[in-house]
Amino acid sequence: MKGDEDAGQVFSNGHTTSSNRSTPRKSLHTALNGNTSTLNGSSPTVKNGPIKRISAIQSATYRGHDREEVVRILIQGLLDMGYSDAASVLSTESGYELESPSVAAFRSAILDGNWSEAEAILLGSHRLEQAPGLHEDDDQYGEGLVLAEGADRGEMLFWIRQQKFLELLEQRELGVALTVLRQELTPLGQDIHQLHALSTLLMCPPEDLRTKAHWPGTVEESRKMLLQDLSRSIAPSVMIRDHRLAELFDQVKQNQINQCLYHNTSIPPSLYSDHLCDRDDFPSRTSFQLEDHTGEVWHVQFSHDGSMLATASQDRTVNIYDTVTFKCLHILKQHNAEVTYVAWSPDDTKIITCSQDCKARVFDVETGRLHVTLEHQTVDSNYGITAAAWGPDSMSVVTASHDRNSQLCHWNLLSSEPERPVHVWPRGFRVQDVAITDDGHWLVALDPQNIIRVFDMHTYREEPPIKTSGKMTSISLSRDGSTVLVNLAIGEVHMIDLATRETVRKFRGQKQGEFVIRSCFGGAAENFVVSGSEDGKIYVWHKENETLVETLSGHGPGQGGKECVTTVDWNPKDAGMFASGGDDRKVRM
């Protein structure tokens, strides 16, 4: 298929409104006058509190590692695992303590909700007059906690007082909460948009407070999250981040995975030995070939449960196959022109098909019956529907078009008139491909004019766009919604972080220029990137180190004589299976 020829708010504990890095906007937090603020200060070289007597025979290092760091992390790990007696023995024998008394007191103050005590420890008593809302008590905390490099005390104060404000709201002490907002939060001079967002919560019904504030779990759980955020801003030599030993083990395992070119299992490596996967276990051979289409295959997509595969073709049909027997379950023939795209609803009960006839059709998967036909109000019938994306409720969907007058439409299948869009984005650009994050918050749209457009699905507002270095033909989101793959006509696949808007990986080798070529993440833990190519081959890269793992024989020439693999998709439940479609009218498994 040829490409187009035409050239949140932050609430609880400093977290963004969409978890797992699924938000495409940059952080709203800004430093309080940088590192020169009177509330700032860091000295990451300062060591932890008092140290007990250390045996003279002990070296300051352990096999090249700082002995104090190792021992303190081990003490924390023993406590995490419930071995408090062993942790106490290790502390006594080594002479190192996990935390100084002031750090332990700060931890307790946060978890107990003793906010004045927590602020006094954070700032140190001589700084109390600089922090609105505090009263000088004594000098027991001296200079305050030592911060990590680049940390901002003003921002940390804001997080603490924000937690205090939210807890008061939940207790329905609205007058006190308003005082905290006006006299304690506002004078800190932190993000004005965040302050406005917090102020709107004063009128929020109690049953909706946690949802609107994006405040997860219980009060105790939210305090633990606050402590975790604060600990990242405190010098690690003073306060070790929670579960540091487990984090280091995770990094060891992830590093082994990253170094293993063929790692394709959800089972994590053992810590006992080095890890290596066998190439023979990698899906590099064709096991089955589907030959039911009479035209080029333009799109393939597995259902979310991996049990079915949908294929869209130039022959105006969509086929649905069982992925165990590869029996064809349905042939959908209602389109009057080429079918460009298919998308499964999150619950796999429906499928939407997009066509060059300017229509998208929603089918019931079990029966194969047409549910509703969606048609853009276009002024030019030459522009078809290019792509579609489902909302998480499986009842709303967004369709995309090359028509500048009707490029994005949002539909609600529960509406009394489901064939009428509930929202049409303002005209002015084209859309080649579209995706919605799993939480339903962000709509990511590919504008062929070298722009990735991002919209808030709750407000329909456009966020700052992401500009790329060349014409793009397709996009694919990672499972956690944090990154997006884009195929560029220059013959590269780029992986872009939606939060930072930076290109973090570039995958090279495949051929592209004239046609729409698709790629996707693949493997048990999305360790791979796989893409079609205009040379008839399938290219597979290791996601983390960008190494070209395999160049597989893909598809033969089509009617036009071109050997083109246009589409690929990896089974989300079977790491040993992926599918490809090409101009030779075949689908290879």
Side-chain angles (χ1 to χ4, degrees), residues 409-421:
C409 295
H410 187 200
W411 315 80
N412 185 354
L413 303 185
L414 293 177
S415 169
S416 58
E417 296 182 282
E419 68 280 358
R420 294 175 61 87

Side-chain angles (χ1 to χ4, degrees), residues 455-467:
F455 300 90
D456 187 321
M457 281 296 291
H458 301 314
T459 63
Y460 300 119
R461 184 184 63 197
E462 183 172 6
E463 298 293 318
I466 303 171
K467 296 183 180 180

Side-chain angles (χ1 to χ4, degrees), residues 152-366:
D152 176 20
R153 291 187 198 273
E155 186 176 50
M156 296 170 72
L157 274 178
F158 190 91
W159 294 347
I160 293 173
R161 295 177 181 181
Q162 180 177 247
Q163 177 77 16
K164 177 181 178 181
F165 171 78
L166 291 171
E167 290 190 21
L168 288 170
L169 284 185
E170 186 169 62
Q171 297 162 10
R172 306 312 294 166
E173 297 185 32
L174 301 183
V176 183
L178 180 60
T179 299
V180 170
L181 182 67
R182 289 177 173 175
Q183 299 182 12
E184 297 186 26
L185 280 164
T186 302
L188 290 174
Q190 293 293 313
D191 186 7
I192 189 171
H193 298 292
Q194 171 64 3
L195 287 171
H196 174 72
L198 292 175
S199 67
T200 62
L201 298 176
L202 288 165
M203 304 300 294
C204 178
E207 61 272 15
D208 296 335
L209 175 63
R210 286 187 170 272
T211 299
K212 291 187 178 297
H214 302 277
W215 201 29
T218 64
V219 168
E220 290 73 18
E221 290 169 340
S222 66
R223 288 176 181 175
K224 289 179 180 178
M225 292 180 63
L226 170 62
L227 184 63
Q228 289 177 1
D229 285 342
L230 292 168
S231 69
R232 295 186 182 97
S233 296
I234 299 173
S237 58
V238 173
M239 186 178 189
I240 302 174
R241 192 163 67 234
D242 285 350
H243 316 303
R244 182 59 180 158
L245 185 61
E247 281 187 348
L248 292 173
F249 287 155
D250 288 342
Q251 291 174 17
V252 169
K253 290 184 177 182
Q254 190 59 52
N255 183 63
Q256 292 203 38
I257 291 173
N258 293 346
Q259 296 303 314
C260 176
L261 289 183
Y262 295 99
H263 184 82
N264 192 25
T265 173
S266 58
I267 301 174
S270 170
L271 291 170
Y272 284 138
S273 60
D274 293 339
H275 172 76
L276 187 65
C277 288
D278 194 327
R279 181 180 182 273
D280 290 340
D281 296 329
F282 190 79
S284 57
R285 297 170 297 276
T286 300
S287 60
F288 206 87
Q289 191 163 273
L290 307 175
E291 303 180 2
D292 298 311
H293 284 297
T294 59
E296 298 172 359
V297 178
W298 284 354
H299 195 213
V300 297
Q301 190 176 94
F302 286 99
S303 59
H304 295 85
D305 65 5
S307 67
M308 292 174 285
L309 174 72
T311 63
S313 173
Q314 183 189 31
D315 65 11
R316 305 184 179 187
T317 68
V318 171
N319 294 347
I320 298 178
Y321 297 92
D322 173 86
T323 56
V324 176
T325 64
F326 295 106
K327 174 184 177 182
C328 187
L329 304 176
H330 299 293
I331 300 178
L332 310 178
K333 301 180 178 180
Q334 286 84 343
H335 285 290
N336 299 317
E338 298 91 337
V339 184
T340 58
Y341 196 91
V342 293
W344 295 85
S345 63
D347 62 7
D348 290 333
T349 63
K350 293 176 284 294
I351 191 169
I352 187 168
T353 61
C354 306
S355 173
Q356 297 279 33
D357 63 7
C358 299
K359 297 179 178 66
R361 292 171 170 84
V362 178
F363 295 87
D364 180 273
V365 171
E366 182 177 1

Side-chain angles (χ1 to χ4, degrees), residues 22-68:
S22 64
T23 174
R25 71 174 65 181
K26 295 183 179 179
S27 172
L28 297 180
H29 291 309
T30 54
L32 188 60
N33 300 323
N35 289 331
T36 59
S37 166
T38 57
L39 288 179
N40 284 346
S42 61
S43 179
T45 59
V46 175
K47 289 291 184 180
N48 168 60
I51 301 176
K52 298 179 182 179
R53 180 182 58 82
I54 305 176
S55 171
I57 64 172
Q58 289 183 345
S59 167
T61 62
Y62 166 70
R63 301 184 70 85
H65 304 285
D66 184 283
R67 181 176 292 273
E68 179 183 344

Side-chain angles (χ1 to χ4, degrees), residues 460-493:
Y460 300 119
R461 184 184 63 197
E462 183 172 6
E463 298 293 318
I466 303 171
K467 296 183 180 180
T468 63
S469 57
K471 176 183 173 183
M472 300 169 289
T473 63
S474 67
I475 59 174
S476 179
L477 277 174
S478 61
R479 290 175 194 166
D480 63 7
S482 65
T483 54
V484 62
L485 284 179
V486 295
N487 277 66
L488 277 72
I490 58 175
E492 295 181 354
V493 180

Side-chain angles (χ1 to χ4, degrees), residues 83-108:
Y83 301 132
S84 56
D85 290 343
S88 178
V89 170
L90 178 56
S91 179
T92 301
E93 187 172 352
S94 67
Y96 296 117
E97 292 182 341
L98 176 60
E99 294 176 341
S100 67
S102 61
V103 170
F106 180 74
R107 179 186 298 276
S108 296

Side-chain angles (χ1 to χ4, degrees), residues 130-149:
Q130 301 169 4
L134 293 182
H135 302 284
E136 187 165 357
D137 187 8
D138 55 45
D139 195 38
Q140 61 176 315
Y141 301 125
E143 296 293 320
L145 295 178
V146 181
L147 301 191
E149 185 176 357

